[in-house]
Amino acid sequence: MTDESDPTSSGSDPCDGSDDTGFTHPPHECGWLSAAGGPAMPWLVVYGPGTASEEVAVTIEQTCAVRCVRARLHTLDEALTISIKRYTGLVLVLPSAPPPRGQDPRWKDYRTLAEDFRNRNLPAAEGFFPRSTCWHEVGVLQVVYPEDALADPAVTDLIKDACDRHPFSEGVPFTGDVFRIFQPGMAQIVRNDEVAAALSDNWRVLRAWGISDIPKARVIKTGVDNRRDELDHDPKKPTLHRPILGLDMNRLDLLLFRPEETPLPDPNSTAEEQKKAAENFRASGARVVRKLVEELVRDNPWFHCPQGKAGKNYAQDRFADLYRILRTVLSLS
């Protein structure tokens, strides 16, 4: 990445109370708020393809100017080539236009920016509180998204990782309050609302499997963990014990924690043989899940597979999601 000029030193600040660094020194206990009422931090606003996305980004930039906050606008491609280390506010405005024919949405690129930013800074809820001594370590990540984008799991993952999020619709003026997260106590309120919503969503998934309370959740997770332990200590079944050479994980652990991992193709095999090997690997994951679910159902009559579309890959993904939710819910109990 290339460095930009420091966004905190690009000329004189029109707001009263600032010094030559561009930061302000408020007389109150919330050090992250400037004397002008806005956050004392530079922002980077990144927008994706589409007229509506660009218009929303410009609106946010104008709103920042009114609050005496320096904000820089960049397209996604531009943002990927610059250093974001000087910015402590990042707003991702997701695309309002579909990707070109034959291409997938570039959610991984947005994720790269978000993760780079988060790895450098604290979430707002961990640093914005009265008399905080670490507010200057906070990085406020906000995601602004088209309302119809929520159907994509990659978008919901981005939104969940943000300090705040705001929907927009094409042809409708953007009115989201990108400054509310800076108000005292708001970051904690938003986080608590997210936790409550996440728990509600998690229990909705668990109930679809017949899991209605903590004891039942613990029973199913224990059953899964027992099978993981069995496979980990049974080298007589190499396709399940260590199916990927050099990776110390059994087949069940792979589909639960590293579903993207696949064995390297044998360079001495034909294309048809490599295809068959890949199919066998996917099938082994399906068998592991099917046999485990059958045993869990046999031992716990209240447990059942939720209704939904069929398919080997879908069954594995759905079971991995179940296990992730079990871990989350039980960690909070």
Side-chain angles (χ1 to χ4, degrees):
M1 288 186 178
T2 58
D3 280 349
E4 281 195 326
S5 59
D6 192 335
T8 66
S9 59
S10 56
S12 62
D13 194 326
C15 303
D16 293 335
S18 64
D19 60 18
D20 58 3
T21 68
F23 288 99
T24 53
H25 304 283
H28 47 74
E29 61 185 6
C30 299
W32 63 90
L33 294 177
S34 72
M41 52 179 59
W43 287 22
L44 176 64
V45 181
V46 180
Y47 61 93
T51 301
S53 296
E54 184 173 0
E55 289 175 348
V56 169
V58 170
T59 298
I60 293 172
E61 180 190 36
Q62 294 170 344
T63 303
C64 287
V66 171
R67 300 290 286 269
C68 299
V69 173
R70 292 194 178 100
R72 291 199 174 181
L73 262 62
H74 281 291
T75 65
L76 176 61
D77 286 328
E78 293 169 345
L80 291 170
T81 65
I82 66 174
S83 171
I84 64 173
K85 64 183 180 182
R86 295 188 178 96
Y87 295 97
T88 46
L90 174 62
V91 182
L92 300 177
V93 183
L94 302 189
S96 56
R101 179 186 291 271
Q103 296 184 20
D104 294 326
R106 298 173 58 187
W107 303 134
K108 287 186 178 180
D109 290 332
Y110 288 99
R111 168 64 63 187
T112 295
L113 284 175
E115 289 180 348
D116 184 22
F117 183 77
R118 177 54 62 230
N119 289 339
R120 300 172 184 272
N121 306 286
L122 291 175
E126 295 180 18
F128 285 173
F129 51 85
R131 298 183 179 84
S132 169
T133 59
C134 60
W135 67 265
H136 57 283
E137 298 177 32
V138 168
V140 177
L141 171 63
Q142 303 193 64
V143 176
V144 186
Y145 60 93
E147 290 184 334
D148 59 0
L150 288 178
D152 192 321
V155 174
T156 56
D157 285 345
L158 268 175
I159 292 172
K160 289 176 182 177
D161 290 343
C163 299
D164 206 358
R165 71 277 308 142
H166 314 275
F168 72 91
S169 298
E170 192 161 3
V172 179
F174 178 68
T175 58
D177 184 1
V178 293
F179 288 98
R180 72 166 186 161
I181 196 68
F182 296 95
Q183 297 308 307
M186 183 56 68
Q188 289 74 27
I189 291 173
V190 171
R191 181 180 61 180
N192 290 340
D193 287 347
E194 291 169 359
V195 171
L199 283 174
S200 176
D201 290 342
N202 286 344
W203 277 109
R204 188 178 300 112
V205 173
L206 293 182
R207 284 192 293 270
W209 287 86
I211 304 170
S212 57
D213 53 38
I214 290 295
K216 288 181 177 179
R218 190 168 288 115
V219 166
I220 298 304
K221 183 177 182 297
T222 299
V224 178
D225 288 340
N226 287 343
R227 180 53 49 84
R228 292 175 53 211
D229 188 62
E230 290 172 11
L231 295 178
D232 224 32
H233 294 85
D234 189 2
K236 295 179 181 179
K237 299 178 181 178
T239 58
L240 300 180
H241 176 62
R242 293 292 183 269
I244 298 182
L245 186 65
L247 192 55
D248 193 28
M249 297 180 75
N250 64 59
R251 189 65 186 92
L252 181 54
D253 280 356
L254 282 169
L255 69 88
L256 292 177
F257 304 111
R258 300 277 290 275
E260 73 283 359
E261 296 286 354
T262 57
L264 292 175
D266 182 352
N268 297 319
S269 62
T270 66
E272 186 62 30
E273 289 171 336
Q274 292 178 4
K275 180 181 178 182
K276 184 62 176 178
E279 291 174 350
N280 288 340
F281 180 73
R282 288 193 296 270
S284 69
R287 284 195 301 273
V288 166
V289 169
R290 184 176 63 254
K291 290 187 64 175
L292 177 54
V293 169
E294 287 174 352
E295 293 179 18
L296 291 171
V297 170
R298 181 197 64 201
D299 297 339
N300 308 281
W302 43 264
F303 183 70
H304 55 78
C305 288
Q307 294 182 346
K309 59 185 179 181
K312 295 177 182 178
N313 292 338
Y314 176 70
Q316 294 175 61
D317 292 344
R318 186 169 57 179
F319 192 79
D321 190 47
L322 166 66
Y323 186 73
R324 176 187 59 79
I325 291 173
L326 286 170
R327 293 177 65 201
T328 300
V329 168
L330 291 176
S331 72
L332 299 173
S333 65

